[in-house]
Amino acid sequence: MPGPSPDANLAEVLRQWTHAFGWSERAAFLCGDDVYTHGEVHRGAARVASLLRAYGVAPGDRVAIALPGSMELVWSFLGVVRIGAVAVLADPDASALPPAAFAVCMPGRHPHTITPVELISALPAAASADPHPVIPDAPAYGQHAATYAHRDPEESYLAMEPFGLRENDVLFSVSKTYDPVGLRNTIFLPLFTGSCAILDSRQRSIPLVAEGVRRHRASVLLSTSAFLGRLAAERPQGDFAPLRLAVSQGTAPPPSRVEQWLGCPVVTP
């Protein structure tokens, strides 16, 4: 087995993809009215990694991240992974956090809390941290008691490749970022494809999803069979334009006529 290498670090792998394909100036995330480029994502993550080290986070430490869908979440997740710690994503509205040495969350939820306000206020003056050397099978992040290694997300992306995601696609995920499928949809897919994802922490009601799709001109809806079932039951009058594709994740087949209501083809993995 090869020894530890900074090039095996998942956060560095994603940064190198951006550099290799020339995506630095392309939009990576839309959050409200703000647009963040792929270059800004990785520069911010390297600075957050430096700040986390200053707070005492060390390689191998578990760091709970309980934040709504936001750039603070993206930067914290990649920053934790970059220094060789283990990012543990949690529902920000849950009553308790998973066991961890540190937590990035709102104040008062953990003995060693780092708030998003503290990170963002210190970000402009922070140095950039180099990626910590890891081996590919080293733990990188965890969710719902499952732990994933530094090389796992690329395999997840390759499973989605047949659907033909494009660099100019705008992705909207029904699953939220702290969910395993939502993490893939919202963070890994745009960073592996050069596309752009919408960061939206609101409830996933059908009218709000339709409004988010229209507002940000989403081209791909990364959905669930449960959401499509609700869509079939409610038969909404709202417009989902300009979707070109919907991907249904789940065991149930898409309901009949759902393509008519969405106005685009629906495919399943």
Side-chain angles (χ1 to χ4, degrees):
M1 177 179 294
S5 168
D7 291 332
N9 188 297
L10 171 59
E12 179 63 9
V13 168
L14 293 169
R15 189 200 69 80
Q16 290 181 7
W17 274 58
T18 288
H19 178 73
F21 290 103
W23 295 336
S24 291
E25 301 305 317
R26 297 185 63 87
F29 294 102
L30 306 178
C31 188
D33 294 327
D34 296 323
V35 180
Y36 298 88
T37 67
H38 285 263
E40 288 174 322
V41 169
H42 297 296
R43 289 191 294 271
R47 290 180 177 181
V48 167
S50 178
L51 294 171
L52 292 170
R53 282 179 175 167
Y55 275 97
V57 180
D61 283 343
R62 290 170 60 89
V63 181
I65 302 174
L67 300 176
S70 61
M71 278 309 301
E72 290 89 342
L73 183 148
V74 175
W75 280 328
S76 297
F77 175 80
L78 294 175
V80 169
V81 172
R82 189 171 184 82
I83 60 175
V86 181
V88 183
L89 291 180
D91 183 346
D93 296 322
S95 58
L97 297 179
F102 297 85
V104 182
C105 59
M106 300 307 293
R109 300 199 62 194
H110 189 276
H112 301 289
T113 295
I114 306 165
T115 70
V117 172
E118 290 171 334
L119 289 180
I120 296 305
S121 62
L123 197 64
S128 295
D130 293 331
H132 182 75
V134 297
I135 58 174
D137 290 326
Y141 64 98
Q143 293 174 299
H144 298 254
T147 302
Y148 303 89
H150 279 264
R151 67 182 177 186
D152 287 346
E154 185 174 353
E155 298 173 7
S156 178
Y157 154 66
L158 291 173
M160 296 289 289
E161 193 175 24
F163 301 127
L165 297 182
R166 306 168 183 167
E167 290 183 1
N168 62 347
D169 273 327
V170 177
L171 316 178
F172 188 103
S173 174
V174 171
S175 300
K176 292 192 175 182
T177 314
Y178 56 80
D179 176 85
V181 174
L183 176 66
R184 179 199 66 189
N185 292 348
T186 306
I187 295 184
F188 292 133
L189 286 183
L191 296 183
F192 270 118
T193 62
S195 59
C196 179
I198 298 165
L199 295 170
D200 190 333
S201 59
R202 298 179 300 173
Q203 295 299 313
R204 295 304 197 253
S205 69
I206 290 172
L208 285 178
V209 170
E211 188 273 331
V213 166
R214 292 192 301 270
R215 177 184 178 185
H216 296 291
R217 300 194 60 78
S219 57
V220 178
L221 179 67
L222 298 160
S223 187
T224 63
S225 56
F227 179 83
L228 296 181
R230 284 163 46 201
L231 184 69
E234 296 183 23
R235 300 186 180 183
Q237 301 300 313
D239 181 8
F240 283 84
L243 287 181
R244 71 170 184 86
L245 179 70
V247 180
S248 174
Q249 181 77 33
T251 56
S256 62
R257 297 185 63 195
V258 71
E259 292 186 342
Q260 176 183 335
W261 292 319
L262 288 175
C264 67
V266 177
V267 297
T268 56

